Amino acid sequence: MSRISRFERNPALPHVVVLGGNFAGLGAAQKIRDYAGDAVEITVIDRKAYLDYIPNIPLEIFEGRDPAITMHMPLIPALAADDIRFQQAEITGIDVAAKTVTLRPNERPGAPDYRLSYDKLVIALGARLAYDEIEGFAEYGHTVSDAWHANRLIDYLKNDYRGGPIAVGSARFEQGTKGRPDWLPTALAACEGPPVEISLALAHWLKENGKGGAENITLFTPAELIAEDAGEKVVNQLLQAAAKMGFHYINKVGDIRRLTAEGIEFADGRSLKTELNIVLPNWRPHDFLRGLPIVDEVGFVITGMDMRNPDYPDVFACGDAAALTVPKLGAIGHQEAEIVGRQIAKDVGRLSRIRADAPWQPEVVCIGDMGGGKAFYIHATSWFGGDVQELRMGALPYAQKLAYKEIFFRNKGRVPGWGLPIAKWSAEALSA
C-alpha cells in the first residue's frame, strides 16, 4: 500500500510536478519559474541526479573524451538555483483522476512506493529506447545514445574492429494516430540526425586511424528518405555530398529484423554483411503510461499545440514523451518547454492570454558533428508545412555546437533567449 506524501514548502501555492530532468524536464521547470515566478511550488522527479547532454556524445568519443565525464551535468544545483526541489526516484504510475504520481526512491534498493499529489503535472520523461526489442543487439549491435554505449563502441573500434563493412541506421518507429493533428506527418524513424552525424564523424575517425573511411559505411533508413524531417531539398544535398565522399545508402528497409554474426537483416528481405552495426532503436513510451486516458494507442501523451492534454487540462507534456514531438528532437522539446512555462503562468495569473497563447511554428534545428572540426547545420520547417530548408556545412556550425554546450553547462541549462536566434542567423547569414 503506497503512502500519501506532499513535499511542498508552502501548501497554499499550486504544486507543479515535473516528471523528468533532462532537456525537456529541466527546460520546462526553469521556464515555469521564469514566467510564473513565486506563484507556484515546483518539484522535479528523475531516476538520476544528472542531466545527460546527449547531442554531443558522438563528438566526444570520436575526439577522445569520455562523455561520462564531460557530458553529465549535476541536476540538483541547477534546480536549486531556481528554488526548484528535486527528488531522485523511479516513476511507477500516474492517477490523473486523483492527481497523484506514484514514485519509488532509488538511491538505495528496497524503498516502498509513495504517492505525491500535484496541481499541475508536466510529463517530460523522454522515451524508452527499445534496444531490447532488436534481436541480436546485445551481441552484435552498438550505439551512442548514452555514455555507456558510446564508450563500448569506441573501445570496440580501437581494439577489435578489423576494417570491415559498417551499417548505420534506425529501426522502425511506431507512431500513434489517436489525437494526432492532420498536419503532423507519419515518421518511420524517430530521429535520424544521429545516424547521419555518426556516419560522417566515424568516417573521419576511420581515416585518421588508418581503418578505412566513408567507403566502409552504409547508411540505411526505414523511410523513403533518411532524415526526412529536414526536407527533401536538404536531404538530397546531404546524400549528394555523402555519395561523393564514398558512403553507401539504402532506403525503405522497413525495419531491422535482426543482427547476427554475419551482419544485419531487414524486414523487407534485404541484408548486409557487416562487421559492425551502429543502430538507433524504436522510441517507446514508458510502460506505466500505456493505457492511461491521456495517451494515444502507443502510449505517448496527447496534447494540443499548447502542450496541454485536451481531456485533463492540468496535465502537460513536452519532449519525447509527447505524441506531438515528431521527430524526437531536442530542439522541438526546447520549444515545447517554453510553451508549458507560459501556459502554467497563464493559469496562475502571471501571464496574459495573448502572450501565453502566441502561435507556435515548430521547427527542426540540428547541428551534427562531421569530424575534423566541421559540422552540419540544418534548419527546416517543411516537415510542419513551412517553407524553410537550410543546410550549411563547415567550421562555423562546429564552433556553434561546442559553444552551445559550454553556454548550457555554465548557465546550468539556461541558454539565453538570444541563443537559438543568433545561432540560426550566424549559420545561415554568415556562411551563405
Side-chain angles (χ1 to χ4, degrees), residues 48-313:
K48 54 184 176 41
Y50 61 87
L51 177 140
D52 211 349
Y53 197 88
I54 296 167
N56 284 30
I57 288 178
L59 184 152
E60 293 298 291
I61 61 166
F62 290 131
E63 292 191 358
R65 296 182 290 274
D66 182 352
I69 298 172
T70 59
M71 295 293 108
H72 288 175
M73 186 187 83
L75 194 53
I76 298 173
L79 293 168
D82 286 307
D83 194 23
I84 299 169
R85 288 175 305 287
F86 175 78
Q87 294 184 24
Q88 183 173 330
E90 300 283 349
I91 306 300
T92 59
I94 300 172
D95 187 332
V96 292
K99 301 183 77 167
T100 61
V101 172
T102 305
L103 58 90
R104 182 178 301 136
N106 66 355
E107 291 180 72
R108 301 186 71 179
D113 283 352
Y114 294 86
R115 281 185 293 153
L116 179 67
S117 59
Y118 66 82
D119 297 295
K120 305 284 183 183
L121 179 67
V122 181
I123 301 173
L125 280 164
R128 178 180 174 275
L129 303 188
Y131 290 110
D132 54 353
E133 296 179 4
I134 301 175
E135 182 180 345
F137 177 82
E139 298 84 2
Y140 309 112
H142 285 272
T143 194
V144 295
S145 55
D146 57 51
W148 191 92
H149 283 101
N151 282 325
R152 177 174 176 262
L153 170 62
I154 201 68
D155 286 347
Y156 177 85
L157 286 167
K158 288 178 178 178
N159 302 314
D160 300 307
Y161 176 64
R162 301 183 302 277
I166 301 170
V168 183
S170 298
R172 174 75 158 84
F173 173 52
E174 185 180 356
Q175 182 180 352
T177 59
K178 180 183 177 184
R180 192 168 98 193
D182 294 338
W183 54 263
L184 184 62
T186 298
L188 299 187
C191 181
E192 290 192 299
V196 174
E197 176 180 30
I198 293 163
S199 298
L200 292 167
L202 174 57
H204 180 268
W205 187 94
L206 292 174
K207 188 175 182 179
E208 288 290 300
N209 288 272
K211 295 192 175 188
E215 66 277 4
N216 296 49
I217 301 170
T218 298
L219 267 165
F220 68 87
T221 176
E224 177 78 26
L225 288 173
I226 194 166
E228 57 188 351
D229 55 273
E232 187 173 351
K233 173 187 170 184
V234 166
V235 174
N236 285 335
Q237 289 175 313
L238 279 171
L239 290 177
Q240 289 170 14
K244 289 180 181 178
M245 295 176 193
F247 288 98
H248 309 284
Y249 171 68
I250 59 175
N251 65 343
K252 297 191 288 187
V253 301
D255 200 355
I256 298 170
R257 182 170 173 265
R258 64 173 178 168
L259 307 178
T260 70
E262 287 72 40
I264 182 168
E265 299 176 8
F266 301 110
D268 72 345
R270 285 180 284 177
S271 63
L272 295 172
K273 290 188 177 298
T274 59
E275 181 185 347
L276 173 61
N277 304 297
I278 304 175
V279 301
L280 281 299
N282 182 17
W283 263 241
R284 286 200 180 276
H286 295 280
D287 290 340
F288 70 85
L289 287 171
R290 295 181 188 177
L292 293 179
I294 55 173
V295 303
D296 63 19
E297 71 274 22
V298 179
F300 292 109
V301 182
I302 298 170
T303 71
M305 293 290 279
D306 57 1
M307 307 317 299
R308 189 190 299 261
N309 182 263
D311 297 320
Y312 292 84

Side-chain angles (χ1 to χ4, degrees), residues 377-417:
Y377 161 89
I378 294 171
H379 176 208
T381 60
S382 54
W383 181 256
F384 308 105
D387 56 6
V388 177
Q389 292 191 52
E390 295 285 347
L391 172 67
R392 299 288 187 271
M393 300 184 194
L396 179 57
Y398 176 81
Q400 289 176 316
K401 189 172 181 70
L402 295 184
Y404 191 93
K405 180 264 176 183
E406 285 301 314
I407 294 172
F408 189 96
F409 273 58
R410 288 178 183 273
N411 291 283
K412 297 182 172 64
R414 286 187 168 280
V415 177

